[in-house]
Amino acid sequence: MKAMIFAAGLGTRLKPLTDHLPKALVLVAGKPMLEHVILKLKAAGFTEIVINIHHFGEQIIGFLQANQHFGLTIHISDEREQLLDTGGGIQKASTFFQGNEPFLVHNVDILSDTDLKTLYDYHVQSGNDATLLASQRKTSRYLLFDDTDRLCGWINKDTRQTKPEGFVYDPERYRAYAFSGIHVISPTLFPYFQGWSGKFSIMDFYLQNCQEARIGGCLTDTLQLIDIGKPETLTQAEEFLKRI
């Protein structure tokens, strides 16, 4: 099984830790967050991983080499010349995912108790072009799904902004779930990337194409998750890892 880890972010919310270090190598409970994600993927049976790099990318390359790539086949998608955001990052790395086999995408700063193999299998059985792991979690921004678990829109409940353009939120019709930063994509999604290039968000791409592409949700009420986005969440993440 194949996977991609987003490790190219600037980590601005983790300053000053990221002034001389990529976010992916910030320590959580004594291990870089990248190592936590790699080992979770390995334990779930993933054997080939693509990692995109930008900010202090050479440090990530050195870290992987020093650890013999953790016994996995690891490719680097090099974005050091231009940071491409999540959508552009997947598009650039798509050459590693030719064929029919789906691949799992995981943000480097997300820790969770989800069973990644179960999520992968759910996607395979669903027939979706992409499946987004989403949960009942308190946030301001929600993905909106219909009663067949198909993605239909997005809302910021603080500002009432909705996407895609023209989408009308009906709480009786749509269920609101928070995205986890973990999703599974089949190569059948790639034809929809025509006309998209450079730097763009995968979520904007999903929302623009959800009427034509089959973009679904793996929806749960029990997911435990933490986003290691700020220095104060590092201590919380250590406690989180003890619980899961």
Side-chain angles (χ1 to χ4, degrees):
M1 296 190 297
K2 297 181 179 181
M4 179 175 186
I5 301 174
F6 286 138
L10 297 173
T12 51
R13 292 183 300 160
L14 280 169
K15 281 180 169 289
L17 293 172
T18 51
D19 284 344
H20 306 286
L21 189 74
K23 176 173 68 172
L25 296 186
V26 171
L27 297 181
V28 180
K31 293 180 185 175
M33 58 178 80
L34 177 60
E35 183 172 348
H36 286 287
V37 177
I38 289 173
L39 294 178
K40 185 174 179 67
L41 286 165
K42 183 176 182 178
F46 291 86
T47 58
E48 189 170 349
I49 299 174
V50 178
I51 301 174
N52 70 343
I53 61 170
H54 175 76
H55 183 60
F56 295 120
E58 65 283 351
Q59 293 187 34
I60 293 176
I61 293 172
F63 170 75
L64 295 170
Q65 291 173 342
N67 287 278
Q68 293 78 49
H69 291 169
F70 296 93
L72 302 170
T73 299
I74 296 183
H75 309 282
I76 295 296
S77 184
D78 195 336
E79 297 179 24
R80 281 178 287 185
E81 287 191 5
Q82 182 190 8
L83 188 59
L84 295 172
D85 205 341
T86 50
I90 290 171
Q91 186 179 51
K92 179 178 175 65
S94 63
T95 53
F96 295 109
F97 302 116
Q98 298 306 310
N100 300 316
E101 186 181 2
F103 59 98
L104 186 142
V105 181
H106 200 299
N107 288 4
V108 77
D109 54 4
I110 294 294
L111 297 175
S112 80
D113 67 346
T114 194
D115 185 319
L116 298 179
K117 179 63 163 62
T118 298
L119 172 62
Y120 186 91
D121 290 343
Y122 176 92
H123 168 79
V124 171
Q125 294 161 11
S126 73
N128 290 335
D129 297 310
T131 300
L132 286 61
L133 178 64
S135 65
Q136 288 285 2
R137 179 165 51 89
K138 182 67 177 176
T139 183
S140 59
R141 297 170 293 178
Y142 290 94
L143 300 177
L144 303 171
F145 298 88
D146 66 15
D147 57 8
T148 69
D149 296 343
R150 184 164 183 168
L151 180 67
C152 297
W154 173 95
I155 187 169
N156 183 323
K157 289 196 174 182
D158 289 343
T159 66
R160 309 308 296 178
Q161 178 191 10
T162 59
K163 294 179 182 180
E165 187 176 350
F167 176 80
V168 178
Y169 174 52
D170 179 354
E172 298 296 319
R173 185 177 178 186
Y174 302 111
R175 294 172 296 154
Y177 283 78
F179 182 44
S180 66
I182 306 170
H183 36 143
V184 186
I185 296 171
S186 288
T188 53
L189 187 72
F190 291 156
Y192 295 96
F193 279 104
Q194 278 195 327
W196 295 72
S197 62
K199 181 179 181 178
F200 63 93
S201 159
I202 191 62
M203 192 54 65
D204 286 344
F205 170 85
Y206 284 152
L207 292 165
Q208 287 296 322
N209 288 280
C210 62
Q211 294 301 312
E212 291 78 29
R214 177 71 195 187
I215 300 170
C218 180
L219 309 179
T220 174
D221 298 339
T222 60
L223 178 69
Q224 294 187 65
L225 176 147
I226 187 167
D227 177 351
I228 320 163
K230 302 174 184 176
E232 57 266 28
T233 58
L234 291 174
T235 301
Q236 297 170 20
E238 292 189 16
E239 295 302 315
F240 178 84
L241 286 170
K242 294 176 184 176
R243 295 198 308 269
I244 63 171

